[in-house]
Structures are given as structure tokens and as C-alpha cells.
């Protein structure tokens, strides 16, 4: 380790030979040798020898003639090391070093920055920054005098050129940091920051000469390519903000005398001096307004949140310190601040909110207008131009405009009612929202995607609100924007209107638009949903200014009026598809399956009456209807969350319609209804969806029973029962037993028209019975037989012994019993034979049994399965392949339920056999395959009883 020279004498002895050698011969090796020696000298000793050591380095820089860049770089780095270890105590030395370092980056021949290496540029920039930090405070302040203007302006121009034109990110940042040091914006402890009023005025007069160049160059950097990196933009915004707010500060400008004093300098330097009088302030302010608008327009849309956060700092600095000098910029600056209030970054939102609240509390005056007045005027202006802006702007423009609108709404709070009570402003605002929310309904997949009964289950957990979950499955596409963030902003606008605005006025207005045109209906419904959500402050978070609390009864009344519109016949039962059954009924052909949907080629009627026939809707029309129903379902879920348990008072009006849509064959509608059911369950405090259905089953069953009597007016009634069966338990059966009989009776009446709908319900019914009442008798018998076989396998008996276990008498008795049961099943039993078969000795009668000759009543599920299987026998020959396939599924389930009651099953099985044979031998391959599944397997691997063909 090298010895450290602590005294100037020791240090001089060590450094003198090296300095002499460098003075004689300027080489990189000699410079590096000197720097090596300097590391062994203490800072105190080096301070005493500062100018002695600097002499050979400065001499190397000033020697005329071309020099190698590597040598200049080594000299500058060595000089920077000396300055970082010492302090500059003489003004003349500071000025000379400043000029010498600046000259390293300038080419006198071209009068432009020299084309030198990036390493040299970085070394010089670092040297300038270190030089300014090494100067004593008094020396540094005397440096900033009018005579230094040419040198200072030269350095500022060089640094701005590097920040703007260099490709290296490192050089750009270094140049901007050095510029901060030169303009007294450095935040390090070694640099003086506290200046008195006179010092601030002197520096302000001096920097005013550079303000046009600095502001223009930095604006080009700020509005440059985003790819240059956010840190460069952040730093440029900081320098721009600090420079403008310092030079144009109202506090300084008030102290500027009207007449300019005689300058202390003459000639060219005097011409560079600026007198910041009123005309100069007005002219400079107008030019800065142009630059500020460019910066705001670019930075507001910058993808990085730190850049937008720095813009908030810029706005705060200029509005709070330059409100009078930059009066023309007050509007754009405030607009930028308000628009960022709805920024996606929490940090930016919080900073904007803090600044705006501070302005409002301090009652800041901008020009001759108060802060609140500017806000109100700006909102009126925005409301007037909103339709035009929404129609003409691209996605980014719409995003900025809506962010601005959200900011105004948050700031004004309840005062927005002054705008809403103006009919013209409310009309413009509503039409703009209606226009921009128009959906693109051309996607054929929406109407194409179907929901099959097997997957129609409301099994979502009620522990988590389901609001909006279905929109993740099928995204909404809008005609006038594609950015998903715009939709989120539109929702926030509507929620803020519902929170702060007069909800009665807004709901009435948008209900009028809902009635006015089918084109407006979906958008108006979306807005109404969000208005109620906003009134309940579901997603708004913590807002500083609260509006008067709305009573629960008032909100419930408003929700009830909207629900009445949503669930009305004309708005709820819309055409979303052309059912195959209806098409078959109308064209009376034997073809099955849906018909091609073409405009005007078919008719679509909800009821069988030909008088109600209408032209077939287009794909877009049906998509539009699907989306309208989905939006209304989503609204019901939002209303449930808004009212909480108070929504139970409205359950009677919505539960039945929502269950009806949960059984819809259109996938999107079914998913939306499922999500709504989860919302209702969560909001009303039900433990589960099953609990919700069971708790309200009496009301639902009563509605089903009444509507079945007018099936042509309520064709979707069976769907409600189907959904209930799929999502309940055995406790529901006693309630629906009578309704099931009504269903079967209605099926007997309308089997030729609505068989598919009823068969679907019967399938759900039998599936539920099979699940609720599992038959374990055959399973136990199978397990017992398996156990016995396993035991016999260990006895090692010979085949002859096994064969003799069954006697001829047993076989004879089995055949006689089989033939007798067959005759009984076919009804070929005479009264005489019946009498002969009666035993000669009557059986003993239990004294407690008063009616020994009456069989015990069948369980409800067995009676229902028997009745359903009776209908299946007749429907197996239906002309529709779709119905035949469904009937075969139902038949299979009937066998499963009846397998333990053979007295009921066997006769029905034999009666169904002829129709089943027709399916096996003379039907579509799909029907043949499905019919085979109803036949017993060849082995006996399971306990289940299947259909057995007669001999």
C-alpha cells in the first residue's frame, strides 16, 4: 500500500517531478502517472497545492494544435479528481476553468459542438458539474454576474444540444443534471439553495436571457420519441418547471421596477440582458403558453406514470408561483391537472387530488378569476363540446377527454347539479354518453353459442359477488372505441353522476331515452345500471366531498321503477333465436334442426298464432336483443348489491324472470343470469343458491302453475321449473309434485307443438330424482353377490359339483314363473285363472291393518317416474330426431329411478320395447346409438336394471 502524504511539503516533493514531466510532455501516460500520485495525497495537502497541480493540466488543455481525444479525456478526468477533493476559492479561477472545460466540447471551425467521443463528452460534463460544486458559496454567487452571460450561455447551449441531439441516454441525463447545477436547481447538500430576495432577483434577471432557448429545447426533448426513456422526460420536465417558475415567478416580477437601471456592462453583453417589465412578461407568457400546451398534450398520454406524475409537479409549480404572469396558461394547466385526477396510476391520482384540494382550500386566484369559477366554466364548456369530441377523437383523445370530465365531476362534487339542471347541458352530456357506448352487435358467435341443459347449473359460489363475471367470458365490443380503459372511464363518469347528481332527474331522463328508441336502449340501460351503482357508492372508493345521503327507501323506489321497465314483456321477452320447433311448426316439414336464418326468408313467432307472425330478425337484431337482456340482467345484479338485504323486498318481481333467463339456450344470456343469481344470493344474505331457490319456492311454484294455464303467453315457463330442479334438493319435490302433473297434462295437450321444451324439463326432473333418491338396493345386492362369489372361489369345487347345485325342479319352476309374469304383464290373464291361483287358505290378517287388500301408496318420485315413462313410450316415435334423442335420455333415467320397483318398471319396459326396436332398426344413426345405451350390457358388472326384451 502506498504511503499517504499528509503535509503540503511531503506532497509537493512527491508531485513536483510528475507535474514537471507533464508540463514538458503531454501524454496519457504522464497524466495517469499524476493521477496515481494524487491518490496518495491527503485532501488538506492537495488543497494547498491546488493551483500548482492544476497548472500542468490546464496547460495541456490550452496548448495550441491538435490533440488526441484520449489525452484530453485523461486530463479532464484528472482535473475532475482534483476539484472533487478541493474547493475553488477564487472567482477568476472558477471562470477560467469553466471556460476551459466548456471549450473541450466546441469546434471553433464549425461553430458547433465538436464531434468527439461519448467518453470525452461524459468526462467534460462531469468536470463542469464538479467544478460548480467545488466553489465556495460566495465565490459561486459572484460568478453569476452580467459579465458571465456569454460564457454561461455558451455552456447552457452546449448542454441543451447534448440533451436534445445525443443518442446516448447516459449523456442526455448527465447533460440535464449539469444544466440543473448551472441553474441552481441541484438538490445536493453541497450546492447553495437558500437565496435571499435580492439574490433571487439577480439570478432571475440573468436566467431570463436563457429562458427562450431553454424552454424551446426542453420542449423538443419532452415531446420527443417515447423510446428515449421516461427518466429523460422526467428530468427535462423538472428543469423546465424549475426554470420557468423561477424566472416568471409573480413574487419576483412584482419587485421589478418599470424602468431599467443602467447596466453594469456595455456592448454585446448589455444587449443580452433582459428587463422583465410588463410587455416582456406578456410576450414571454404567450410564447410559453404555446410550449406548455404542447407539453401537456404529449405528456398527458405518456405511458409511464412517473412522467405523468412529474407533469402534476410542473402544473403545481406554475399555477402556484406564476398564476399572474402565465394567466393564459392557467386554463390548459388546470385542464391537465383535472384530467390526471382520473389517471390509472394511484400515485398520480393521489398527487392530483392533493394539489387540487390545496388550490380549492387556499382559494387560489389565477388572473382575475377564482379557482371555482374556472372549474365551473370549464365543465360547461366541456359539456357543450362533448358530443363533438366523442364523435371526432381517436381512442387516446376520448381517454383524455373522459379523464378530464371525471376530474371536473370529482372536483365540483354536488355542484354538478347546477350543470345538470340545464336542459341543454344534460341533453348534450347524455347524448355523448349514449353515442360513445353504442355496441358492435355484428358478431355471429353471440347468437351461435348455445347452452345445453347438462351444463346449465348455477353452481357458482355465493361467497363472492358475481357482478360482471360473465363479461369476462364474452367481451363487449363498441363501435366507436376499442380501448377497454375507455369503457372503465365511462362507467366511472356515470357512477359519479349517480353519486353527486340528482338521481331522480337522471333516472327519469335516461328512462326517457330508453323508451325513445331501440337504438338507445342498451346504452341507456348500461348508464342506468351505473347510476344506481354510483348512488350506492359501490366502486367509487373514498371521495373527499360527500353528497347528502339518499335514504334506502328512495333508492329502492328508483330501483323498482327501473326493474319494472326491464322485466316488462316488451323489454324482457325479445327474440334471440329461431327455435327449431317453431320453424318446423310454421313450415310443416319433417326436417329437424334449426333452419337457416336469413332476413325475410322465414317468420319468427313467439306464440303459435299466425296472426302474430313477424319477419325473421337479422343476426344483428338478435345479437342486439341478446346484449340488451344481458345488460338488464347485469343491472339487476348491481341493484341487488346497491340495496343489500333490502333487495329481498323486490325479489318477488325479479327472481322468476331471472330464473327463466338462467334456463335460456343462448349461452351469453344463461351466463349473465347465472352471474345475476350469484349477485342476488350474495346481496340478500342467502347461504347458497339452493337456499335462495328453496326459500322462495312457494312463490316460484305458484307462478309456474299460473303461467302453465296460459302457455301461449308464457312459452318459457317450463324453463323456470327446469332451473329450479337442477339447483335444489329433495325438499322441493312435495312443492312441485302438482306442477309436474300440470306439466304432463299440458304435454298431452301440446305434444305436437312444444314437445322439445317439455321433454327438456322432464329430463331435468328425472335427473334430479335420480340424484335426490339414489337406489342402493341393487348396489347392496351386487356387493353381496360379489362377496359370495369371492367366498366360493376359495372352496376349489369341481365343475360337476357346481352343476348339480341347480335341480331340474328349480329350472322348471323358474320357467313357469317367468311365463306367468309375462302373461300378467301383457294382460292375458282370465278371471278364472286368477281365482284358481288364489291360495286355498287365506293369509293371516294383521289386526291393526284395517284394509289388508289395499297396496301401500307408491312414493312420489316413483309415481312421477311412472307417469313420465308413460309419455316417453308415446314420444319415442316423434318425427323430430332432436325430440327422439331427448326422450331416449329421459327413458334411461326413468329406468334408473324405477329399478327397485319392478312391478311398475317391467310392464312399462315391455310396452316400450316395440318403439325401441324401431329406433334400433329403422332410425337415424344417432338414435340407433342412443337406443343401444338403453339395452342391458352383456355382462353383469353392475347393479343397474336395464330394459329386458320379451321372448
Amino acid at each position: 500500500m502506498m504511503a499517504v502524504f499528509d503535509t503540503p511539503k511531503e506532497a509537493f516533493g512527491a508531485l513536483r517531478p510528475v507535474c514537471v514531466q507533464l508540463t514538458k510532455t503531454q501524454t496519457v501516460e504522464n497524466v495517469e502517472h499524476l493521477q496515481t500520485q494524487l491518490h496518495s495525497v491527503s485532501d488538506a495537502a492537495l488543497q494547498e497545492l491546488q493551483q500548482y497541480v492544476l497548472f500542468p493540466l490546464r496547460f495541456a488543455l490550452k496548448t495550441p494544435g491538435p490533440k488526441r481525444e484520449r489525452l484530453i479525456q485523461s486530463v479532464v478526468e484528472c482535473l475532475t479528481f482534483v476539484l472533487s477533493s478541493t474547493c475553488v476559492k477564487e472567482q477568476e479561477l472558477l471562470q477560467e476553468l469553466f471556460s476551459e472545460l466548456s471549450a473541450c466540447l466546441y469546434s471553433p471551425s464549425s461553430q458547433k459542438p465538436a464531434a468527439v467521443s461519448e467518453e470525452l463528452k461524459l468526462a467534460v460534463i462531469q468536470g463542469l458539474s464538479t467544478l460548480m460544486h467545488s466553489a465556495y458559496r460566495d465565490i459561486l454567487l459572484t460568478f453569476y454576474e452580467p459579465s458571465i452571460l456569454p460564457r454561461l450561455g455558451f455552456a447552457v447551449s452546449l448542454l441543451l444540444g447534448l440533451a436534445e441531439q445525443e443518442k446516448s441516454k447516459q449523456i442526455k441525463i448527465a447533460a440535464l443534471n449539469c444544466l440543473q447545477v448551472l441553474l441552481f436547481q441541484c438538490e445536493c447538500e453541497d450546492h447553495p439553495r437558500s437565496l435571499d430576495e435580492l439574490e433571487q432577483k439577480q439570478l432571475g434577471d440573468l436566467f431570463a436571457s436563457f429562458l427562450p432557448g431553454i424552454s424551446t429545447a426542453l420542449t423538443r426533448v419532452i415531446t420527443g420519441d417515447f423510446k428515449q426513456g421516461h427518466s429523460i422526460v422526467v428530468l427535462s420536465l423538472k428543469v423546465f418547471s424549475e426554470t420557468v417558475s423561477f424566472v416568471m415567478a409573480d413574487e419576483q416580477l412584482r419587485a421589478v421596477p418599470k424602468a431599467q437601471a443602467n447596466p453594469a456592462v456595455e456592448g454585446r453583453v448589455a444587449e443580452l440582458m433582459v428587463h422583465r417589465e410588463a410587455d416582456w412578461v406578456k410576450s414571454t407568457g404567450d410564447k410559453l403558453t404555446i410550449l406548455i400546451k404542447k407539453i401537456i398534450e404529449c405528456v398527458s398520454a405518456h405511458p409511464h406514470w412517473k412522467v405523468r406524475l412529474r407533469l402534476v409537479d410542473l402544473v403545481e409549480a406554475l399555477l402556484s408561483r406564476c398564476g399572474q404572469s402565465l394567466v393564459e396558461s392557467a386554463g390548459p394547466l388546470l385542464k391537465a391537472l383535472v384530467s390526471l385526477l382520473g389517471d390509472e396510476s394511484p400515485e398520480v391520482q393521489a398527487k392530483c387530488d392533493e394539489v387540487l384540494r390545496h388550490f380549492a382550500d387556499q382559494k387560489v386566484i389565477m388572473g382575475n378569476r377564482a379557482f371555482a369559477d374556472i372549474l365551473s366554466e370549464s365543465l360547461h364548456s366541456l359539456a357543450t363540446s362533448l358530443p363533438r369530441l366523442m364523435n371526432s377523437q381517436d381512442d387516446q383523445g376520448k381517454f383524455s377527454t373522459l379523464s378530464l370530465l371525471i376530474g371536473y365531476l370529482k372536483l365540483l362534487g354536488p355542484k354538478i347539479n347546477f350543470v345538470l339542471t340545464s336542459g341543454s347541458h344534460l341533453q348534450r352530456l347524455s347524448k355523448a354518453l349514449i353515442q360513445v357506448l353504442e355496441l358492435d352487435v355484428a358478431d355471429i358467435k353471440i347468437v351461435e353459442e348455445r347452452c345445453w341443459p347438462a351444463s346449465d347449473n348455477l353452481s357458482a359460489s355465493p361467497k363472492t359477488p358475481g357482478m360482471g363475471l360473465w363479461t369476462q367470458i364474452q367481451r363487449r365490443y363498441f363501435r366507436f372505441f376499442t380501448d377497454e380503459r375507455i369503457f372503465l372511464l365511462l362507467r366511472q363518469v356515470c357512477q359519479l353522476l349517480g353519486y353527486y347528481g340528482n338521481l331522480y332527474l337522471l333516472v327519469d331522463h335516461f328512462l326517457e331515452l330508453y323508451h325513445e328508441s331501440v337504438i338507445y336502449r342498451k346504452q341507456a340501460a348500461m348508464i342506468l345500471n351505473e347510476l344506481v351503482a354510483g348512488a350506492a357508492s359501490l366502486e367509487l372508493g373514498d371521495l373527499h366531498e360527500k353528497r347528502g345521503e339518499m335514504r334506502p327507501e328512495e333508492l329502492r323506489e328508483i330501483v323498482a321503477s327501473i326493474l319494472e321497465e326491464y322485466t316488462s314483456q316488451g323489454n324482457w321477452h325479445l327474440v334471440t333465436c329461431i327455435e327449431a320447433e317453431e320453424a318446423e311448426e310454421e313450415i310443416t316439414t319433417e326436417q329437424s334442426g334449426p333452419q337457416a336464418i336469413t332476413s325475410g326468408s322465414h317468420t319468427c313467432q313467439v306464440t303459435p298464432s299466425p296472426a302474430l307472425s313477424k319477419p325473421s330478425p337479422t343476426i344483428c337484431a338478435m345479437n342486439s336483443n341478446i346484449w340488451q337482456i344481458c345488460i338488464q340482467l347485469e343491472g339487476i345484479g348491481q341493484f341487488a348489491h346497491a340495496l343489500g338485504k333490502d333487495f329481498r323486498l323486490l325479489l318477488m318481481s325479479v327472481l322468476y324472470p331471472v330464473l327463466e333467463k338462467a334456463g335460456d339456450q343462448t349461452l351469453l344470456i344463461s351466463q349473465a343470469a347465472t352471474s345475476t343469481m350469484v349477485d342476488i344470493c350474495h346481496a340478500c344474505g342467502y347461504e347458497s343458491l339452493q337456499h335462495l331457490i328453496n326459500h322462495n319456492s312457494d312463490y316460484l311454484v305458484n307462478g309456474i302453475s299460473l303461467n302453465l294455464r296460459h302457455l301461449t303467453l308464457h312459452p318459457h315457463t317450463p324453463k323456470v321449473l327446469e332451473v329450479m330442479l337442477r339447483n335444489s334438493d329433495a325438499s322441493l319435490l312435495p312443492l312441485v309434485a302438482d306442477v309436474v302433473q300440470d306439466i304432463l297434462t299440458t304435454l298431452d295437450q301440446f305434444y305436437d307443438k312444444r314437445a322439445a321444451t317439455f321433454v327438456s324439463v322432464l329430463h331435468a326432473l328425472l335427473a334430479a330424482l335420480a340424484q335426490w333418491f339414489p337406489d342402493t338396493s341393487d348396489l347392496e345386492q351386487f356387493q353381496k353377490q360379489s362377496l359370495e362369489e369371492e367366498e366360493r372361489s376359495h372352496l376349489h369345487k369341481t365343475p360337476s359339483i357346481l352343476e348339480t347345485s341347480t335341480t331340474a325342479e328349480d329350472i322348471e319352476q323358474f320357467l313357469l314363473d317367468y311365463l306367468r309374469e309375462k302373461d300378467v304383464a301383457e294382460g292375458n290373464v282370465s278371471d278364472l285363472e286368477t281365482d284358481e291361483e288364489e291360495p286355498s287358505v287365506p293369509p293371516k290378517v294383521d289386526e291393526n291393518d284395517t284394509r289388508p287388500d289395499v297396496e301401500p301408496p307408491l312414493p312420489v318420485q316413483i309415481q312421477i317416474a311412472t307417469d313420465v315413462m308413460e309419455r316417453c313410450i308415446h314420444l319415442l316415435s316423434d318425427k323430430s330426431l332432436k325430440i327422439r334423442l331427448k326422450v331416449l335420455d329421459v327413458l334411461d333415467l326413468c329406468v334408473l329411478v324405477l329399478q327397485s320397483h319392478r312391478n311398475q318398471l317391467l310392464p312399462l319396459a315391455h310396452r316400450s320395447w316395440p318403439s325401441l326396436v324401431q329406433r334400433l332398426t329403422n332410425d337415424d344413426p344417432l338414435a340407433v346409438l342412443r337406443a343401444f345405451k338403453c339395452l342391458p350390457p352383456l355382462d353383469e358388472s353392475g347393479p343397474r336394471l336395464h330394459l329386458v326384451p320379451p321372448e
Side-chain angles (χ1 to χ4, degrees), residues 686-707:
Y686 289 101
E687 297 177 0
S688 64
L689 293 170
Q690 178 179 307
H691 182 212
L692 171 65
I693 293 174
N694 289 350
H695 192 267
N696 299 278
S697 57
D698 52 348
Y699 145 71
L700 294 171
V701 169
N702 183 61
I704 294 171
S705 179
L706 291 175
N707 290 340

Side-chain angles (χ1 to χ4, degrees), residues 877-941:
S877 302
D878 194 275
K879 61 182 179 180
S880 170
L881 172 63
K882 182 179 179 181
I883 294 177
R884 295 198 299 273
L885 292 174
K886 287 184 178 180
V887 170
L888 286 169
D889 289 333
V890 177
L891 187 66
D892 204 26
L893 290 170
C894 288
V895 175
L896 180 63
V897 175
L898 294 173
Q899 59 183 332
S900 61
H901 290 72
R902 303 193 178 188
N903 291 340
Q904 285 71 38
L905 173 60
L906 291 177
L908 292 172
H910 287 288
R911 289 175 55 193
S912 63
W913 178 249
S915 296
L916 192 60
V917 170
Q918 290 295 319
R919 307 285 73 76
L920 290 167
T921 59
N922 188 23
D923 208 333
D924 187 276
L926 289 175
V928 174
L929 180 63
R930 188 63 192 89
F932 262 108
K933 294 181 181 179
C934 292
L935 296 177
L938 295 178
D939 59 6
E940 296 180 357
S941 60

Side-chain angles (χ1 to χ4, degrees), residues 674-803:
T674 300
S675 178
T676 301
M677 291 295 295
V678 176
D679 290 336
I680 293 174
C681 187
H682 178 82
C684 295
Y686 289 101
E687 297 177 0
S688 64
L689 293 170
Q690 178 179 307
H691 182 212
L692 171 65
I693 293 174
N694 289 350
H695 192 267
N696 299 278
S697 57
D698 52 348
Y699 145 71
L700 294 171
V701 169
N702 183 61
I704 294 171
S705 179
L706 291 175
N707 290 340
L708 280 175
R709 301 173 188 175
H710 307 282
L711 190 61
T712 55
L713 297 178
H714 306 281
H716 303 291
T717 298
K719 290 292 182 184
V720 181
L721 180 59
E722 184 179 342
V723 174
M724 290 177 62
L725 292 169
R726 294 186 187 281
N727 300 278
S728 188
D729 56 13
S731 62
L732 183 67
L733 186 59
L735 289 173
V736 301
D738 293 338
V739 174
V740 170
Q741 294 302 321
D742 293 341
I743 288 282
L744 295 175
T745 303
T746 309
L747 174 61
D748 295 339
Q749 298 173 356
F750 297 99
Y751 69 90
D752 57 337
K753 298 177 181 179
R754 304 197 177 276
T757 301
F758 286 111
V759 171
S760 179
V761 177
L762 297 180
H763 185 277
L765 173 63
L766 268 297
L769 294 179
Q771 180 183 358
W772 297 343
F773 304 99
D775 187 9
T776 59
S777 59
D778 286 333
L779 179 61
E780 293 173 356
Q781 181 180 358
F782 168 71
Q783 292 174 345
K784 182 178 180 180
Q785 292 174 355
S786 300
L787 183 60
E788 291 176 354
E789 291 177 0
E790 184 176 355
E791 291 175 354
R792 285 197 300 268
S793 65
H794 295 290
L795 298 179
H796 303 287
K797 292 183 179 180
T798 61
S800 60
I801 297 176
L802 294 175
E803 289 174 1

Side-chain angles (χ1 to χ4, degrees), residues 299-469:
V299 176
S300 297
H302 199 282
H304 203 283
W305 67 272
K306 288 187 177 180
V307 176
R308 303 193 300 273
L309 183 63
R310 176 55 65 180
L311 178 61
V312 178
D313 294 332
L314 180 146
V315 174
E316 179 185 18
L318 297 186
L319 286 178
S320 59
R321 296 163 65 181
C322 311
Q324 303 298 322
S325 60
L326 296 178
V327 63
E328 297 300 325
S329 300
L333 288 170
L334 183 59
K335 180 178 178 181
L337 195 59
V338 174
S339 65
L340 291 173
L341 191 60
D343 194 86
E344 60 186 15
S345 167
E347 291 84 356
V348 178
Q349 286 187 24
K351 183 64 177 178
C352 281
D353 186 73
E354 176 187 348
V355 174
L356 286 167
R357 298 297 165 187
H358 172 73
F359 285 164
D361 295 341
Q362 298 298 321
K363 298 182 180 179
V364 177
I365 303 296
M366 301 170 190
N368 297 320
R369 296 179 296 170
F371 178 74
D373 294 337
I374 296 178
L375 281 179
S376 298
E377 291 176 11
S378 300
L379 181 56
H380 278 81
S381 176
L382 181 60
T384 302
S385 59
L386 193 60
R388 176 183 56 82
L389 294 174
M390 291 291 100
N391 188 42
S392 60
Q393 291 177 326
D394 58 6
D395 279 8
Q396 186 56 51
K398 289 183 176 69
F399 183 85
S400 301
T401 301
L402 291 172
S403 298
L404 179 63
L405 178 59
I406 288 172
Y408 286 137
L409 295 177
K410 285 184 176 180
L411 284 174
L412 289 172
K415 296 178 183 176
I416 63 173
N417 285 310
F418 293 109
V419 178
L420 298 179
T421 51
S422 169
S424 60
H425 286 112
L426 179 57
Q427 189 73 12
R428 293 189 184 99
L429 180 62
S430 61
K431 283 298 177 68
L433 294 175
I434 289 286
Q435 174 186 326
V436 76
L437 278 169
E438 184 175 352
L439 287 168
D440 182 1
V441 294
D443 187 4
I444 193 173
K445 290 182 180 179
I446 295 175
V447 74
E448 229 178 20
E449 291 179 334
R450 314 300 286 161
C451 181
W452 304 109
S455 62
D456 183 19
N457 197 314
L458 304 181
S459 58
S461 172
K463 301 300 181 184
T464 305
M467 183 171 52
L469 294 180

Side-chain angles (χ1 to χ4, degrees), residues 117-393:
S117 65
E118 293 182 354
E119 292 77 10
L120 178 56
K121 292 174 183 176
L122 282 173
V124 173
I125 294 171
Q126 184 61 41
L128 284 172
S129 181
T130 305
L131 172 64
M132 302 306 292
H133 280 97
S134 67
Y136 276 172
R137 183 182 190 278
D138 295 338
I139 299 299
L140 186 61
L141 291 176
T142 58
F143 173 79
Y144 289 93
E145 57 183 15
S147 60
I148 201 63
L149 269 177
R151 301 180 190 181
L152 187 59
F154 173 70
V156 169
S157 298
L158 283 174
L159 294 173
L160 288 172
L162 292 173
E164 182 180 358
Q165 298 168 9
E166 281 296 318
K167 295 182 179 180
S168 170
K169 180 179 178 181
Q170 189 177 6
I171 294 178
K172 285 175 172 285
I173 293 177
L176 290 169
N177 284 326
C178 187
L179 193 60
Q180 283 186 290
V181 176
L182 294 183
L183 298 176
F184 271 75
Q185 299 171 14
C186 182
E187 297 178 353
C188 62
E189 297 179 357
D190 297 335
H191 210 60
R193 291 287 294 172
S194 58
L195 302 172
D196 58 32
E197 184 176 345
L198 180 60
E199 291 170 342
Q200 288 182 7
K201 179 183 177 303
Q202 291 176 349
L203 288 176
D205 291 338
L206 199 66
F207 295 160
S209 302
F210 312 136
L211 182 60
I214 292 175
S215 58
T216 303
L218 289 178
T219 299
R220 288 196 293 266
V221 176
I222 294 168
T223 59
D225 192 351
F226 289 165
K227 295 179 181 178
Q228 65 182 323
H230 75 276
S231 56
I232 295 172
V233 182
V234 168
L235 203 51
S236 300
L237 282 169
K238 185 177 186 302
V239 178
F240 182 96
S241 171
E242 293 290 337
T243 305
V244 173
S245 61
F246 184 77
V247 176
M248 303 295 291
D250 295 335
E251 186 178 355
Q252 283 193 41
L253 295 177
R254 281 194 292 267
V256 174
K258 294 183 179 180
Q260 183 179 9
N262 293 328
V265 291
E266 298 179 355
R268 176 62 178 165
V269 178
E271 295 177 0
L272 296 176
M273 292 295 296
V274 170
H275 180 53
R276 294 182 289 170
E277 41 81 27
D279 291 340
W280 180 88
V281 172
K282 177 67 170 61
S283 174
T284 305
D286 293 342
K287 295 174 182 177
L288 284 173
T289 299
I290 298 174
L291 300 179
I292 289 172
K293 287 181 178 179
K294 289 182 179 179
I295 291 174
I296 290 172
E297 181 181 357
C298 179
V299 176
S300 297
H302 199 282
H304 203 283
W305 67 272
K306 288 187 177 180
V307 176
R308 303 193 300 273
L309 183 63
R310 176 55 65 180
L311 178 61
V312 178
D313 294 332
L314 180 146
V315 174
E316 179 185 18
L318 297 186
L319 286 178
S320 59
R321 296 163 65 181
C322 311
Q324 303 298 322
S325 60
L326 296 178
V327 63
E328 297 300 325
S329 300
L333 288 170
L334 183 59
K335 180 178 178 181
L337 195 59
V338 174
S339 65
L340 291 173
L341 191 60
D343 194 86
E344 60 186 15
S345 167
E347 291 84 356
V348 178
Q349 286 187 24
K351 183 64 177 178
C352 281
D353 186 73
E354 176 187 348
V355 174
L356 286 167
R357 298 297 165 187
H358 172 73
F359 285 164
D361 295 341
Q362 298 298 321
K363 298 182 180 179
V364 177
I365 303 296
M366 301 170 190
N368 297 320
R369 296 179 296 170
F371 178 74
D373 294 337
I374 296 178
L375 281 179
S376 298
E377 291 176 11
S378 300
L379 181 56
H380 278 81
S381 176
L382 181 60
T384 302
S385 59
L386 193 60
R388 176 183 56 82
L389 294 174
M390 291 291 100
N391 188 42
S392 60
Q393 291 177 326

